[in-house]
Amino acid sequence: MTKPKLILDVDTGSDDAVALALAMLGGEAELLGITTVNGNLELKLTTDNTLRVVDLCGMGDRVPVYPGCEYPLVSTLNPRSAQSMRPIPKREGTSAGKFGMHSDHLPLPATDLAPQKQAASVWMIETVMAAQPQTITLVALGPLTNVAAAMRVQPQFAQRLRRIVLMGGADETGNETAAAEFNIWADPEAAEILLQSGVPITMIPLDATHQAFLSEEQAEQIDAIGTPLARFIAQLLRDRIAGYAKRDPEMAAKKIAPLHDALALCYALHPECIRRSVETVCHVDLGGGAAYGRTVLDRRANMVQEKPNCTFALEPDREFFCDWLIGILQKAAEKNG
Ligand code: BDR
Ligand code: CA
């Protein structure tokens, strides 16, 4: 069976790091390249962190990293926008930053690996246009600036993709704001460009990722695998459990944390990891007020005029997801001896 061809767009970031490592070590996909974007941290840090993970996985000569956009498309230019005072979302200014979820540098050695010279969106366009139509899946794990820019520059880009799987959105409750999930909030106009593009999109929102949590016991199980990568992931998971404990009493009591981006990658490779989803019309609130960046699902049944533009995941198969994640780390350890 041929492996699915993937492009990963990331803002590394602790859960991005886990997804990246699983994509590289799992060997389930042909990873064409990684693109980085401003998001959890400013671009130079998300790029450096990405390169550190690539180095840890020993993939420096196989997986190129292309730095992308430093700023959201327009949101920081709008004086009415909640983001106008914050040209680049700073770690200390975002909710994840306040709870210590993404430190400037991942706890990994500095790397000599260098990013590619070509800009992320330009490389994405060249790669997708040169490939057989509808053969590449784009897995977007950060704000959608790079992807939206590619769609605007090359109008054929969207229709040449097989599909987009993105971590983002929230129906029940946001994380960055009461209404909005971080990746969509960080560049809402970019997300709306994707949702209007016609490309098949699956959104893996907080509604799904919060149910696909990992526990402290699982952190120990991962640590016990003993490879540098497994130890690193166990440490990230523990840090996330500590971070979530400060913001969510229920997660504090259970000592658990989600690894949002890893679930989105898992779905791209194993759609059965999502048990329940809806085909729906979804748009992003761009009004600049309290709901700015919210993903609004149209649930009016027969009254909906538009065709569904995305599949919105609602419930994961948590056991499948955890077994998949831990299984990759175990197999990688066995392979290395
Ligand atoms: C998303 O925002 C980021 O902080 C994470 O990396 C994830 O992609 C969760 O809302
Ligand atoms: Ca991310």
Side-chain angles (χ1 to χ4, degrees), residues 9-17 39-40 102 140-143 167 181-183 260-261:
D9 188 56
V10 294
D11 62 332
T12 319
S14 59
D15 53 336
D16 303 75
N40 284 320
H102 307 283
L141 305 177
M167 190 285 131
E181 180 280 329
F182 176 78
N183 286 343
H260 313 280
D261 293 339

Side-chain angles (χ1 to χ4, degrees), residues 47-62:
T47 305
D48 177 66
N49 282 331
T50 301
L51 289 164
R52 289 182 188 212
V53 178
V54 172
D55 205 359
L56 177 69
C57 294
M59 297 296 235
D61 52 348
R62 273 174 277 174

Side-chain angles (χ1 to χ4, degrees), residues 224-228 328-337:
I225 295 172
T227 56
I328 289 179
L329 299 175
Q330 282 168 338
K331 272 181 226 142
E334 284 158 20
K335 211 165 132 192
N336 292 335

Side-chain angles (χ1 to χ4, degrees), residues 156-220:
Q156 308 298 313
F157 178 75
Q159 69 196 59
R160 298 281 295 219
L161 285 170
R162 179 168 166 233
R163 62 176 174 152
I164 293 176
V165 175
L166 68 90
M167 190 285 131
D171 190 35
E172 201 174 295
T173 180
N175 57 1
E176 187 56 37
T177 69
E181 180 280 329
F182 176 78
N183 286 343
I184 307 296
W185 171 88
D187 197 340
E189 290 79 8
E192 182 59 20
I193 288 173
L194 267 69
L195 286 164
Q196 293 190 17
S197 70
V199 69
I201 295 178
T202 299
M203 298 182 88
I204 308 295
L206 297 180
D207 309 70
T209 62
H210 281 168
Q211 298 175 64
F213 53 84
L214 278 93
S215 64
E216 208 171 56
E217 291 74 45
Q218 285 168 316
E220 273 163 35

Side-chain angles (χ1 to χ4, degrees), residues 8-323:
L8 289 191
D9 188 56
V10 294
D11 62 332
T12 319
S14 59
D15 53 336
D16 303 75
V18 178
L20 282 171
L22 295 170
M24 285 185 273
L25 288 187
E28 298 176 292
E30 187 185 338
L31 184 53
L32 302 176
I34 301 169
T35 52
T36 59
V37 67
N38 164 63
N40 284 320
L41 301 158
E42 58 195 280
L43 181 75
K44 67 174 189 303
L45 295 173
T46 63
T47 305
D48 177 66
N49 282 331
T50 301
L51 289 164
R52 289 182 188 212
V53 178
V54 172
D55 205 359
L56 177 69
C57 294
M59 297 296 235
D61 52 348
R62 273 174 277 174
V63 183
V65 174
Y66 298 86
C69 297
E70 277 188 333
Y71 295 87
L73 291 186
V74 298
S75 57
T76 53
L77 305 176
N78 179 352
R80 288 182 295 118
S81 151
Q83 297 180 334
S84 64
M85 302 304 288
R86 202 188 302 164
I88 297 176
K90 290 273 193 262
R91 178 164 62 94
E92 59 274 20
T94 61
S95 70
K98 281 183 208 122
F99 294 100
M101 216 75 79
H102 307 283
S103 48
D104 276 4
H105 297 287
L106 291 170
L108 290 174
T111 176
D112 291 334
L113 293 180
Q116 302 294 312
K117 298 262 182 304
Q118 202 173 23
S121 302
V122 176
W123 173 76
M124 275 183 193
I125 291 171
E126 277 188 16
T127 305
V128 169
M129 297 308 287
Q132 289 294 320
Q134 282 109 42
T135 52
I136 296 178
T137 296
L138 208 157
V139 182
L141 305 177
L144 296 154
T145 321
N146 291 341
V147 186
M151 285 180 175
R152 282 297 193 244
V153 169
Q154 170 49 273
Q156 308 298 313
F157 178 75
Q159 69 196 59
R160 298 281 295 219
L161 285 170
R162 179 168 166 233
R163 62 176 174 152
I164 293 176
V165 175
L166 68 90
M167 190 285 131
D171 190 35
E172 201 174 295
T173 180
N175 57 1
E176 187 56 37
T177 69
E181 180 280 329
F182 176 78
N183 286 343
I184 307 296
W185 171 88
D187 197 340
E189 290 79 8
E192 182 59 20
I193 288 173
L194 267 69
L195 286 164
Q196 293 190 17
S197 70
V199 69
I201 295 178
T202 299
M203 298 182 88
I204 308 295
L206 297 180
D207 309 70
T209 62
H210 281 168
Q211 298 175 64
F213 53 84
L214 278 93
S215 64
E216 208 171 56
E217 291 74 45
Q218 285 168 316
E220 273 163 35
Q221 192 188 347
I222 293 170
D223 206 11
I225 295 172
T227 56
L229 177 70
R231 290 220 173 109
F232 163 66
I233 290 181
Q235 186 56 48
L236 291 186
L237 183 53
R238 286 193 185 114
D239 292 348
R240 289 180 69 83
I241 290 172
Y244 272 93
K246 288 186 218 152
R247 63 198 259 181
D248 184 320
E250 204 184 316
M251 294 207 201
K254 294 184 181 159
K255 298 189 179 150
I256 56 173
L259 285 170
H260 313 280
D261 293 339
L263 182 65
L265 174 74
C266 184
Y267 175 86
L269 300 167
H270 302 282
E272 66 270 33
C273 77
I274 296 297
R275 274 199 186 127
R276 196 164 59 88
S277 56
V278 279
E279 304 288 307
T280 185
V281 172
C282 175
H283 289 291
V284 179
D285 186 301
L286 301 178
Y292 189 49
R294 176 167 181 77
T295 44
V296 181
L297 306 192
D298 198 335
R299 294 237 163 105
R300 292 173 300 157
N302 296 342
M303 290 167 71
V304 181
Q305 304 280 323
E306 281 175 67
K307 283 205 191 120
N309 59 350
C310 82
T311 301
F312 195 92
L314 293 173
E315 188 191 325
D317 183 336
R318 175 175 173 259
E319 201 182 323
F320 180 100
F321 169 64
C322 294
D323 288 352

